């Protein structure tokens, strides 16, 4: 089989929810969580503590937590409330909670992307599998091991804010006095970098395009939040159609990401690819700020592989540097998931 096809990521629909599946990778791959028999989209009744899972997810989003961490917090509630006495029963409960959560896709502002939510759930499933195996071997008792998994999961779910602080520490120096920064919407990681640069006393201008967002995800809302909540000294809204015109006076582009592929390319807010193409034409750097838990073993080759109308894929050749909580990397030296 063509190696490009073997590595190709397909958006596979698995009944109640969507997951990104690695197609026939050499060396095998971990099984993605599958909906349990009888699970259906939007139904919370079958999952352990289903209402509590959805409530925790909404609460985490309201607290400005990232979708990835909100999903992990919610699924940790499902594990905690599970009455399972064996690993297979616990696996079934987690799979049902995942199917219910991703099927329901509760509304949020800005909207929750199906891809982010599905990958977050798949990541949590793998985490539970590894953590339970380790804890069970050490404890030798199911209930003790399950409690250990819940405690570790709660600690891991608190990593989002810490990750953004570390990104800001590593990246704020790239935002210099007097520079003009172009961004799309309001990525939490990008906002942390800009807020830290502003706190250091630097004066700079931020141009905010909407990337097709509406309401809380619009350029106007993002610009207002950067000025009001993050202390950025000069923020201006930029219509999406004006990105090309403004690029000549931009010093750097700073984008967030929904995920970072193993190739170093990024899946991000719609318009990021366009911004990166224009930046390359003008010789301007494109920096991407992303928490390390967004690194995924996926290999999108075309825009069709993204499978979400609100996102696009920017190949690694258009990304100058990746700002992560593990440090600053070029896409070519993008670390493995195990290295972050």
């Amino acid at each position: 089989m063509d190696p490009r096809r073997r590595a190709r990521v397909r958006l596979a629909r698995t009944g109640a929810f969507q997951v990104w599946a690695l197609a026939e990778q050499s060396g095998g791959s971990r099984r993605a969580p599958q909906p349990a028999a009888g699970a259906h989209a939007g139904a919370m009744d079958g999952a352990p503590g289903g209402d509590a899972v959805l409530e925790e997810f909404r609460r985490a989003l309201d607290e400005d937590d990232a979708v990835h961490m909100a999903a992990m917090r919610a699924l940790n509630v499902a594990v905690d409330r599970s009455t399972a006495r064996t690993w297979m029963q616990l696996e079934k409960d987690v799979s049902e909670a995942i199917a219910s959560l991703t099927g329901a896709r509760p509304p949020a502002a800005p909207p929750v992307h199906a891809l982010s939510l599905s990958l977050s759930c798949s990541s949590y499933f793998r985490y539970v599998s590894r953590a339970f195996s380790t804890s069970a071997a050490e404890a030798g008792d199911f209930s003790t091991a399950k409690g250990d998994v819940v405690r570790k999961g709660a600690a891991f779910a608190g990593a989002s804010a810490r990750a953004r602080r570390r990104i800001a520490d590593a990246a704020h120096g790239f935002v210099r006095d007097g520079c003009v920064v172009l961004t799309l919407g309001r990525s939490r990681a990008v906002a942390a970098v800009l807020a830290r640069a502003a706190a250091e006393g630097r004066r700079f201008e931020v141009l905010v395009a909407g990337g097709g967002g509406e309401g809380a995800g619009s350029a106007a809302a993002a610009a207002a939040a950067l000025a009001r909540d993050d202390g950025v000294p000069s923020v201006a809204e930029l219509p999406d159609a004006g990105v090309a015109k403004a690029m000549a006076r931009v010093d750097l582009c700073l984008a967030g990401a929904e995920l970072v592929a193993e190739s170093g390319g990024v899946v991000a807010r719609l318009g990021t690819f366009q911004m990166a193409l224009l930046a390359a034409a003008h010789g301007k750097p494109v920096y991407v700020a992303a928490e390390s838990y967004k690194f995924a073993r996926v290999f999108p080759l075309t825009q069709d592989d993204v499978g979400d109308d609100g996102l696009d894929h920017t190949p690694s050749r258009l990304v100058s540097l990746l700002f992560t909580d593990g440090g600053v990397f070029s896409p070519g030296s993008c670390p493995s998931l195990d290295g972050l």
Side-chain angles (χ1 to χ4, degrees):
M1 181 180 291
D2 184 345
R4 282 170 61 88
R5 179 172 176 77
R6 291 172 60 187
R8 186 183 180 110
V9 176
R10 294 195 299 257
L11 185 65
R13 296 186 180 274
T14 56
F17 66 100
Q18 297 174 317
V19 296
W20 271 42
L22 296 182
E24 303 178 52
Q25 273 193 290
S26 57
S29 60
R30 291 183 181 270
R31 180 170 61 86
Q34 303 295 318
H40 59 280
M44 297 298 296
D45 295 337
D51 290 339
V53 169
L54 189 53
E55 181 181 344
E56 180 63 24
F57 184 72
R58 287 172 171 154
R59 182 184 301 116
L61 291 176
D62 289 343
E63 293 172 3
D64 200 36
D65 219 341
V67 171
H68 296 69
M69 293 295 103
M72 291 185 182
R73 279 177 53 175
L75 293 173
N76 217 41
V77 169
V79 174
D80 189 34
R81 293 188 173 222
S82 172
T83 58
R85 296 176 180 272
T86 67
W87 161 244
M88 290 195 67
Q89 290 175 339
L90 181 61
E91 181 183 41
K92 178 175 178 289
D93 285 347
V94 172
S95 295
E96 288 181 348
I98 287 173
S100 297
L101 182 60
T102 53
R105 285 203 39 214
V112 174
H113 292 290
L115 177 59
S116 300
L117 185 54
S118 296
L119 280 171
S120 303
C121 292
S122 297
S123 296
Y124 184 83
F125 188 90
R126 290 193 299 271
Y127 156 74
V128 168
S129 299
R130 290 194 301 267
F132 186 84
S133 298
T134 301
S135 299
E138 293 174 351
D141 174 75
F142 180 85
S143 59
T144 302
K146 185 173 84 99
D148 192 41
V149 167
V150 171
R151 285 190 295 274
K152 290 178 179 177
F156 183 57
S160 187
R162 294 193 298 273
R164 292 195 290 270
R165 286 195 295 270
R166 293 178 66 180
I167 290 171
D169 289 342
H172 72 88
F174 288 82
V175 182
R176 302 178 304 277
D177 234 2
C179 75
V180 177
V181 180
L182 173 61
T183 189
L184 295 181
R186 182 182 178 271
S187 154
R188 294 173 179 85
V190 168
V193 174
L194 297 175
R196 176 64 184 277
E200 294 289 326
R202 300 189 198 108
R203 306 293 297 180
F204 54 92
E205 183 181 359
V206 178
L207 302 178
V208 185
E214 298 178 355
S218 67
L226 285 169
R228 180 187 65 245
D229 302 332
D230 304 310
V232 177
S234 177
V235 184
E237 179 186 351
L238 182 68
D240 291 348
V243 170
K245 182 178 180 179
M247 191 62 73
R249 70 185 189 93
V250 166
D251 293 295
L252 63 97
C253 299
L254 186 54
E258 292 297 318
L259 69 87
V260 180
E262 210 160 21
S263 63
V266 298
V267 174
R269 188 186 186 98
L270 184 67
T272 304
F273 181 40
Q274 169 184 283
M275 179 179 72
L277 285 170
L278 291 167
H282 285 264
K284 305 299 174 68
V286 175
Y287 303 133
V288 175
E291 299 88 334
S292 58
Y293 56 76
K294 293 182 178 179
F295 281 61
R297 288 191 175 97
V298 295
F299 306 85
L301 300 179
T302 71
Q303 298 301 330
D304 291 339
D305 289 331
V306 175
D308 189 316
D309 291 340
L311 303 172
D312 61 28
H313 171 243
T314 301
S316 59
R317 62 182 172 81
L318 297 176
V319 178
S320 305
L321 290 173
L322 295 168
F323 298 152
T324 80
D325 44 300
V328 178
F329 302 96
S330 66
S333 62
C334 185
S336 68
L337 289 174
D338 297 329
L340 280 171

